[in-house]
Amino acid sequence: MNWLELRDFEVRQGDFRLRIPELRLSAGQMVAVLGPNGSGKSTLLSALAGLRNYRGTLLLGGEDLRTIPEKERYRRLSYLPQGGHLGLPFEVFYVVLTGRYPLLSGRRYTEADHRATARLLKLFDLEALGGRLFGELSGGERQRVLLARALNREAPVLLLDEPFNAVDLRHQHLFVRLLRSYVRRKEGLCVTVLHDLGLAVKYFDRFLLLKEGSLRADLGRSELSETLLGEVMGVEVKFVEYGGERLLSIDLSREGGRA
Amino acid sequence: MGSSLAPRLRPGNRRELLALGGLFLLLGLIFGLAISHGAVPLEIFHLDETGRRILLEVRLPRVLLAGFTGAALALAGLYFQYVMQNPLADAFTTGASASSALGAVLALLLAGEKLVLPAALGGTLLGLLAVFRIASLRGRLLPVTMLLAGIVVNTFASAVISLLKFLAEDSLASIVFWLMGGFQNATYARVGFLAGAVFASALYGLLRAPALDLTAFDDETALSSGVPLYRLRRELLLAGALLTAVSVAFSGIIGFVGLIVPHLLRLAGFLRAGVLVPFGLLFGAAFMMLADLLARTLLPQGQELPVGVLTSTLGGLFFLYLLLKRKRELYELA
Amino acid sequence: MRGICLGLILFWFLSGSASALRIVVLYPAASPVLRALGVSDREVVGVTRYDRTYPGAVRVGSHLRPNLELVRALDPDLLIVGSRRAFPEALARKLSTRVFRYDPRTLQEILVCIRNLGEVLGRRQAAEDLVEILSTLLSRIKPLPRPVTVIYEVSATPLKVAGARSIVNDIIRVAGGRNLITVPRKHILLSPEKVLALDPEVYIYQVGPMNRHPTPPKKRPYFRSLRSRVLRVEELEFARPGLNAFTAALELNRFLLSLK
């Protein structure tokens, strides 16, 4: 089953144009969106979340995104934008709880919502921070809270824009494993914008390479090549096998080095 | 906060219930004081004919109007804070109070007291329309631009009021009244009208409490949580405008309540809309009844103080204290 | 300071004082007095904007904010000003002109003021004649068996009433009434409750610049149980400390007599 399906998809923003002729993202996949700054990664993600005007076709779970009512749409997908902020004071527990807003049937969060939130806080090592104000936290802690909030919705499709910004190394690996098991368990889909190639190569199944608004490559794990990766990212990439694992060696490419 | 406990057992819920009881008690206490004290000493339980009429025709409607005005201003302040995503927003920063005062003053000078309410409403809506036009970008409301536009509208309306004050030197007293506020012109009809506006807007907020909280997030997070953000902001703005216009038309500009009531509640740890809306209503009412009681009784021989001056002075002093002594908490709130 | 009207003479200019004077009146209530003293249109060169007594004179702004440039350009020999609040001493000192302060708080003080003005203007006889006429008016006031209690409303929104320092206080007294408000100020912001509790026999409300479109008292919700007789007066004819005050006292006296 395809969770997301794009055909003749185009998003314009001022002079910038993002075009994707065809793309299908199916259940159970961890998809990394890679590319340099300004390549359209965030634009792609927010468009997939239904927050931008687009031309062409965008299907969510086989249905036209435009025809799915908002609440239903956001039960199916959960979007973590970059640089999320909060203008008013709230406790961490409540911030994570609000992730379940689309699941509300009445006007209050239920006991089950509270239990799920408590479980998630534990999973994200945030239990001790539950009663603190979101504004009091450090940048990395805030990012962890927002990630937990995104997962709390239990939506099958996760759209995460640089979810590990400012998160410490240990928690990055912890969370990315958590995401993997989440996607497996839900038969879901996780589309993540990343800058850490090492993390991407280690944990993700599929790679979308974006440059200047167009999809340069859509590769499986085994198809990933040093040259393609290097060309899109503007660096020299070398794969190094170590202990049965593929590691990356990265250097700045010299201008015109490939020619 | 015990995050692993079920909601009904969470200590937060018990705290909220206790606070609710406390607020009702406070409100009752202040209501009792406000009813039994005033320019004329009344034996509430042994009233003569004059006393009875003073109580029913002058004091009671006035106390009620003060209470509902406090509730209206606190609620308006709270709603404006959701719209602007800033705990320091209130009727002032949207230009709402100044533009409705301008409408009221114009009506007063040109036509008489009867037209004050429609003119105040008209003034507020015009002012907000200006703010809206400036702050809207393709159907979206931009909070920061809006703050700026609010300040511009506010400055403009205040300047026009100053101009009118200058031109109509002899009518200064009645213009100044609208700038300083007071509850002398209380009637049961006004109380009823304001109460209707307060309860309707409070109900509106209560029914959408979780969505209200989500407006505090960045637009993308709020929208991708399924909140109709822009519509919600427009409606909150309209509710706040209505509350501001009605209270300005009836009682003039009364500052600081919309700012200080939600702020104190947040400092006390009540952060969610589901709690802030009812608590703000009760606390705002208690605060304003107390302020008016002081305005009526501080000076001897039935002399009065303008209540807006009192709230701004008390509120200003209290805020200064908070800024000096509790900088940290304030900083972390914002 | 008992509010006695003093001709404050700060600077004397010997030249020109003997012939026609150049007078600027910054207190409108004083103009009718000048007119009654026979001061001609030629002599009054400047008045405030709503002063209708000398239509030919230059308008020099309002009585609270006169335009000092205009005043100085008129090169007056004599300035007639109101209270110290409206025209502070320091301002008077800055203009090197004779300043006459016209700020009476009682009818008697008005008479004193008229005499002093006559002195300053060299119209002593006219002043004596005017005082005579006004005193005759006062003598027509008939005594009442006992003072009638009165409250005088200055403005309705907010409710402000005349205190003991207002000229109205003396008009009421002379007319045979008693102002129930004894606070020693000109205007007092008063609780409506207090009015009901004091229960005056007569409630006077003025209509004019300070009270533009007041709702009649008995139609206001807080005065529904007001038992007083209500009298409506014109602010400009009643509350100004000029010649009008004497007719106002006489008419109020007639009204109070008619009550029984």
Side-chain angles (χ1 to χ4, degrees):
Chain A
M1 167 177 162
N2 292 323
W3 272 117
L4 284 170
E5 198 172 335
L6 287 73
R7 276 198 302 269
D8 302 322
F9 185 76
E10 185 178 309
V11 181
R12 279 170 196 249
Q13 190 181 20
D15 288 339
F16 182 78
R17 220 155 56 132
L18 172 74
R19 296 190 58 190
I20 293 178
E22 184 147 26
L23 182 67
R24 290 196 180 86
L25 300 174
S26 49
Q29 282 187 335
M30 291 281 285
V31 181
V33 183
L34 305 173
N37 296 141
S39 56
K41 305 185 297 292
S42 295
T43 308
L44 174 64
L45 237 63
S46 61
L48 293 180
L51 299 181
R52 280 169 197 265
N53 291 323
Y54 62 85
R55 287 190 220 168
T57 311
L58 170 55
L59 305 181
L60 171 64
E63 267 182 88
D64 188 344
L65 186 87
R66 290 188 177 109
T67 64
I68 308 174
E70 274 184 17
K71 221 156 183 185
E72 175 57 32
R73 187 195 299 172
Y74 296 113
R75 267 177 217 156
R76 291 190 206 170
L77 71 82
S78 187
Y79 169 51
L80 173 64
Q82 210 179 330
H85 74 93
L86 190 54
L88 297 172
F90 288 107
E91 333 92 86
V92 166
F93 183 88
Y94 188 64
V95 172
V96 177
L97 184 67
T98 60
R100 296 177 75 84
Y101 177 77
L103 305 176
L104 283 188
S105 49
R107 324 182 263 104
R108 328 178 110 249
Y109 295 100
T110 63
E111 229 165 296
D113 291 327
H114 282 84
R115 269 200 303 272
T117 304
R119 201 168 52 233
L120 214 56
L121 282 176
K122 200 174 206 165
L123 216 56
F124 275 75
D125 264 352
L126 291 169
E127 249 186 326
L129 302 182
R132 296 264 300 276
L133 290 181
F134 182 76
E136 290 179 311
L137 305 183
S138 73
E141 287 170 330
R142 287 185 202 194
Q143 194 62 28
R144 277 157 62 190
V145 172
L146 292 177
L147 187 58
R149 180 183 183 279
L151 259 64
N152 201 9
R153 189 168 304 169
E154 294 178 41
V157 178
L158 297 177
L159 304 171
L160 311 175
D161 198 345
E162 302 194 24
F164 307 125
N165 258 351
V167 174
D168 60 59
L169 210 56
R170 195 184 109 77
H171 284 106
Q172 284 191 20
H173 285 260
L174 203 73
F175 294 161
V176 87
R177 281 163 202 252
L178 228 132
L179 286 176
R180 254 201 340 194
S181 66
Y182 179 96
V183 167
R184 302 251 155 86
R185 180 160 46 86
K186 290 214 170 308
E187 286 281 293
L189 169 70
C190 175
V191 184
T192 306
V193 172
L194 275 178
H195 280 296
D196 187 339
L197 286 181
L199 206 66
V201 169
K202 188 169 162 80
Y203 294 106
F204 285 72
D205 315 311
R206 190 167 168 187
F207 303 87
L208 303 180
L209 304 189
L210 281 181
K211 195 173 182 184
E212 289 159 8
S214 67
L215 185 60
R216 286 295 163 89
D218 170 9
L219 308 168
R221 209 176 162 71
S222 53
E223 298 162 298
L224 212 55
S225 82
E226 294 171 338
T227 36
L228 204 53
L229 209 50
E231 187 203 316
V232 170
M233 305 299 289
V235 290
E236 297 257 355
V237 179
K238 282 208 167 58
F239 294 148
V240 181
E241 299 292 332
Y242 177 82
E245 202 177 342
R246 184 191 274 174
L247 304 181
L248 293 178
S249 157
I250 292 167
D251 206 349
L252 272 185
S253 62
R254 275 158 295 156
E255 201 65 339
R258 280 183 296 115
Chain B
M1 205 149 286
S3 46
S4 60
L5 295 171
R8 274 179 232 294
L9 304 175
R10 275 184 312 131
N13 265 12
R14 220 176 54 205
R15 213 169 81 85
E16 281 158 15
L17 273 179
L18 268 173
L20 190 68
L23 273 176
F24 267 115
L25 213 69
L26 183 75
L27 192 68
L29 195 75
I30 290 177
F31 180 78
L33 277 175
I35 277 298
S36 55
H37 290 73
V40 182
L42 292 183
E43 288 284 338
I44 288 294
F45 299 106
H46 308 92
L47 284 174
D48 56 358
E49 176 59 18
T50 317
R52 202 180 59 82
R53 304 202 72 159
I54 285 180
L55 181 71
L56 291 181
E57 287 170 13
V58 187
R59 200 175 288 174
L60 184 62
R62 178 168 177 160
V63 170
L64 291 176
L65 186 69
F68 280 112
T69 304
L73 291 175
L75 220 53
L78 192 61
Y79 286 179
F80 287 138
Q81 286 162 20
Y82 287 114
V83 175
M84 308 254 204
Q85 308 183 303
N86 189 326
L88 296 179
D90 74 339
F92 191 77
T93 32
T94 42
S97 17
S99 49
S100 59
L102 177 58
V105 167
L106 267 177
L108 193 77
L109 287 181
L110 300 178
E113 284 183 26
K114 288 218 167 69
L115 283 183
V116 163
L117 176 60
L121 255 169
T124 319
L125 288 177
L126 268 179
L128 282 171
L129 204 73
V131 173
F132 234 86
R133 287 288 292 267
I134 299 169
S136 299
L137 188 73
R138 289 184 225 108
R140 298 177 41 174
L141 257 180
L142 311 170
V144 177
T145 320
M146 198 168 142
L147 212 75
L148 226 90
I151 290 169
V152 171
V153 167
N154 194 3
T155 312
F156 174 77
S158 307
V160 176
I161 292 176
S162 295
L163 184 71
L164 291 172
K165 259 166 77 179
F166 178 78
L167 292 177
E169 215 163 63
D170 292 322
S171 318
L172 213 62
S174 28
I175 297 179
V176 168
F177 168 77
W178 251 274
L179 302 182
M180 301 204 290
F183 299 109
Q184 272 190 355
N185 297 320
T187 65
Y188 285 112
R190 289 177 169 196
V191 170
F193 194 90
L194 188 56
V198 165
F199 286 131
S201 341
L203 193 70
Y204 171 85
L206 268 180
L207 288 175
R208 290 160 187 75
L212 251 53
D213 285 337
L214 277 164
T215 61
F217 283 91
D218 55 290
D219 290 10
E220 295 200 310
T221 302
L223 287 169
S224 70
S225 297
V227 172
L229 184 64
Y230 303 129
R231 201 188 73 210
L232 199 62
R233 274 197 193 142
R234 277 195 292 274
E235 288 172 357
L236 285 172
L237 203 63
L238 203 69
L242 177 75
L243 292 171
T244 309
V246 178
S247 50
V248 167
F250 291 168
S251 337
I253 294 183
I254 298 172
F256 257 115
V257 184
L259 194 61
I260 213 160
V261 167
H263 213 94
L264 282 178
L265 289 172
R266 287 204 174 100
L267 268 181
F270 303 111
L271 304 171
R272 307 178 189 185
V275 179
L276 279 176
V277 169
F279 282 22
L281 197 152
L282 293 174
F283 191 37
F287 179 87
M288 194 58 90
M289 286 198 296
L290 184 66
D292 182 51
L293 175 64
L294 291 177
R296 287 185 287 131
T297 52
L298 277 183
L299 293 183
Q301 291 183 280
Q303 299 184 70
E304 295 198 351
L305 286 169
V307 72
V309 172
L310 204 75
T311 57
S312 291
T313 318
L314 291 181
L317 278 178
F318 188 70
F319 227 67
L320 266 177
Y321 162 79
L322 284 181
L323 283 171
L324 288 173
K325 290 277 166 193
R326 307 188 63 175
K327 228 177 272 177
R328 233 177 82 84
E329 283 98 322
L330 278 174
Y331 173 72
E332 278 155 5
L333 277 184
Chain C
M1 205 177 341
R2 312 196 62 212
I4 301 291
C5 201
L6 289 171
L8 278 170
I9 300 162
L10 297 172
F11 294 95
W12 261 109
F13 280 148
L14 288 171
S15 61
S17 63
S19 58
L21 283 168
R22 295 177 63 79
I23 304 172
V24 171
V25 185
L26 295 182
Y27 191 65
S31 286
V33 177
L34 291 188
R35 178 63 86 194
L37 290 178
V39 177
S40 71
D41 284 275
R42 260 189 346 155
E43 285 175 289
V44 176
V45 291
V47 293
T48 52
R49 57 181 172 182
Y50 297 128
D51 196 331
R52 301 267 172 265
T53 316
Y54 288 97
V58 175
R59 315 271 136 179
V60 296
S62 70
H63 79 279
L64 286 177
R65 281 195 209 87
N67 185 322
L68 294 184
E69 278 185 27
L70 280 176
V71 172
R72 192 162 273 184
L74 289 171
D75 189 24
D77 306 309
L78 179 64
L79 265 180
I80 297 179
V81 304
S83 68
R84 281 186 174 71
R85 222 178 116 218
F87 198 86
E89 216 64 68
L91 204 59
R93 237 172 280 130
K94 254 191 357 206
L95 293 162
S96 39
T97 308
R98 267 173 81 192
V99 171
F100 185 91
R101 207 172 270 291
Y102 184 90
D103 186 22
R105 295 231 176 90
T106 65
L107 298 184
Q108 278 312 313
E109 283 178 20
I110 295 177
L111 295 181
V112 173
C113 259
I114 290 171
R115 283 211 177 90
N116 289 342
L117 255 179
E119 199 81 28
V120 170
L121 297 169
R123 293 173 187 273
R124 196 174 297 172
Q125 193 49 51
E128 286 308 325
D129 292 348
L130 182 58
V131 168
E132 185 63 38
I133 294 169
L134 295 175
S135 304
T136 320
L137 268 181
L138 283 186
S139 67
R140 282 162 59 194
I141 286 175
K142 298 196 181 86
L144 280 90
R146 55 167 189 83
V148 177
T149 54
V150 176
I151 286 179
Y152 183 92
E153 170 185 304
V154 175
S155 77
T157 313
L159 185 63
K160 277 193 174 169
V161 298
R165 289 257 171 90
S166 165
I167 185 74
V168 169
N169 193 61
D170 199 52
I171 294 175
I172 292 170
R173 186 187 62 79
V174 170
R178 182 161 67 86
N179 185 3
L180 286 174
I181 307 299
T182 55
V183 180
R185 285 167 57 190
K186 236 176 177 165
H187 300 154
I188 288 112
L189 187 64
L190 192 77
S191 168
E193 290 180 6
K194 192 71 183 175
V195 175
L196 294 181
L198 288 171
D199 193 20
E201 289 166 86
V202 176
Y203 185 88
I204 308 175
Y205 74 111
Q206 66 176 21
V207 179
M210 291 194 66
N211 208 15
R212 241 169 233 277
H213 309 279
T215 314
K218 298 230 171 173
K219 291 202 174 142
R220 299 179 204 160
Y222 53 79
F223 275 163
R224 280 219 317 260
S225 59
L226 189 70
R227 290 185 302 186
S228 324
R229 280 287 297 267
V230 172
L231 178 64
R232 174 193 154 116
V233 298
E234 292 295 324
E235 176 185 341
L236 294 180
E237 286 162 26
F238 204 95
R240 296 254 162 119
L243 303 176
N244 58 289
F246 294 85
T247 16
L250 190 59
E251 272 169 29
L252 181 58
N253 175 250
R254 281 197 195 123
F255 175 80
L256 296 182
L257 283 169
S258 75
L259 284 179
K260 285 290 150 63

